[in-house]
Amino acid sequence: MSDHDPQLAAADIRARIDTSKPHSARFWNYFVGGKDNYQVDRDTGEQIKDIFPGLVDVARTSRQFLGRAVRHLAGEQGVRQFLDIGTGLPTADNTHEVAQRTAPDSRIVYVDNDPMVLAHARALLTSTPEGKTAYLDADLYSPDDILKAAADTLDFSQPVALIILNTLGHVADHEEARRLVSRLMAGLPSGSYLVISDSTATSDGMIAASNAYNESGAIPYHVRPVEQIAGFFDGLEIVEPGVVPVTEWRADADSAYDGPAVDAYGAVARKP
């Protein structure tokens, strides 16, 4: 077999998947009704739901926020390029599907460094004939490498929407997280956009759920106060209605939500 044999590649990917501990992408996939998860993820998910049932709403409404943000950018702002970091496992209405449904010539680069996400990359690597979709096996902590590799698919002389959803909590230090976001945005031209949503430390239930998840053996995830989420957008022009609960960001009939307040905030902002 050659070095490029797909069977060898698949075996290497499987060897990197740890099924003894929960993982955020698989855990989140379980919460949004996906099937790409293991028993350890489901067990942890049920434990967390017992502590804080509202996390299910956070997962589902955050996904709806993504769809509305992408539709707004592709449909109303004319954005045709998207850099989605922390892709997670594919479910319904992935970034490329939403963007290309609105604008078939959209180009999307997904970035993740999780082996199970890599194993499912083929599900993401679909595209309209007019557009393009690519996947990078890369790390958020290497923003320059991400930008360099994404340039094979995206034209950085034209606006790009940088999407980072439910990912920055893996960066324990807030200033480090801000530095990473700033470095990525620095590599994008004027007229680009930043889209972020994340779980927030806005209720005792969410904080307890976060603590329980971090004690499960998974890579820790740190929920932040709303003002720290807002800090990621410093120097950018915030799109109305600002940094708000994800359920309140340009809600439409398809995503109307009448449940309890969700502990997740998001926003969209433009680089001047």
Side-chain angles (χ1 to χ4, degrees), residues 8 20 27 29 37 49 57 76 87 93 119-120 137 140 142 162 167 182-183 196 209 217 231 234 247 249 262 266 270:
L8 283 178
S20 67
F27 173 83
N29 176 264
N37 47 73
K49 281 198 285 187
D57 291 330
E76 298 180 36
T87 302
D93 285 342
H120 287 77
D137 184 15
L140 174 64
S142 303
L162 171 63
T167 296
S182 295
R183 180 65 197 91
I196 288 176
D234 284 352
T247 52
W249 198 90
V262 297
R270 181 181 182 277

Side-chain angles (χ1 to χ4, degrees), residues 62-103:
S62 295
R63 191 73 183 178
Q64 292 171 343
F65 164 79
L66 169 65
R68 296 196 304 275
V70 171
R71 282 194 296 272
H72 169 73
L73 293 174
E76 298 180 36
Q77 303 304 321
V79 176
R80 295 294 180 265
Q81 304 189 108
F82 298 83
L83 178 58
D84 186 337
I85 298 179
T87 302
L89 289 159
T91 55
D93 285 342
N94 300 293
T95 298
H96 75 284
E97 293 169 325
V98 177
Q100 292 180 344
R101 196 178 300 142
T102 301

Side-chain angles (χ1 to χ4, degrees), residues 15-222:
R16 290 170 54 193
I17 297 174
D18 184 354
T19 62
S20 67
K21 299 175 182 178
H23 185 279
S24 61
R26 304 189 316 242
F27 173 83
W28 213 245
N29 176 264
Y30 173 62
F31 268 19
V32 298
K35 302 184 184 304
D36 298 316
N37 47 73
Y38 292 98
Q39 190 63 48
V40 66
D41 308 300
R42 297 188 285 273
D43 289 345
T44 302
E46 290 302 311
Q47 176 192 357
I48 299 298
K49 281 198 285 187
D50 286 342
I51 296 170
F52 181 53
L55 194 57
V56 176
D57 291 330
V58 167
R60 293 175 179 170
T61 58
S62 295
R63 191 73 183 178
Q64 292 171 343
F65 164 79
L66 169 65
R68 296 196 304 275
V70 171
R71 282 194 296 272
H72 169 73
L73 293 174
E76 298 180 36
Q77 303 304 321
V79 176
R80 295 294 180 265
Q81 304 189 108
F82 298 83
L83 178 58
D84 186 337
I85 298 179
T87 302
L89 289 159
T91 55
D93 285 342
N94 300 293
T95 298
H96 75 284
E97 293 169 325
V98 177
Q100 292 180 344
R101 196 178 300 142
T102 301
D105 58 336
S106 296
R107 303 170 76 85
I108 295 89
V109 173
Y110 290 107
V111 181
D112 210 301
N113 68 338
D114 174 69
M116 189 161 177
V117 174
L118 178 61
H120 287 77
R122 285 184 178 178
L124 292 174
L125 293 177
T126 57
S127 177
T128 57
E130 305 95 323
K132 188 172 182 180
T133 304
Y135 176 87
L136 299 180
D137 184 15
D139 195 307
L140 174 64
Y141 287 96
S142 303
D144 293 334
D145 292 341
I146 290 173
L147 293 168
K148 181 179 179 181
D152 290 340
T153 302
L154 305 179
D155 176 4
F156 284 156
S157 71
Q158 300 297 316
V160 175
L162 171 63
I163 300 173
I164 313 177
L165 267 57
N166 304 104
T167 296
L168 290 167
H170 282 306
V171 183
D173 182 76
H174 176 59
E175 290 306 317
E176 172 71 357
R178 286 187 57 162
R179 185 191 69 79
L180 293 170
V181 172
S182 295
R183 180 65 197 91
L184 288 162
M185 287 303 296
L188 305 182
S190 175
S192 292
Y193 286 83
L194 174 64
V195 182
I196 288 176
S197 74
D198 223 328
S199 302
T200 49
T202 42
S203 75
D204 291 341
M206 174 56 88
I207 293 169
S210 176
N211 290 338
Y213 179 80
N214 292 345
E215 292 168 1
S216 70
I219 297 173
Y221 201 93
H222 307 275

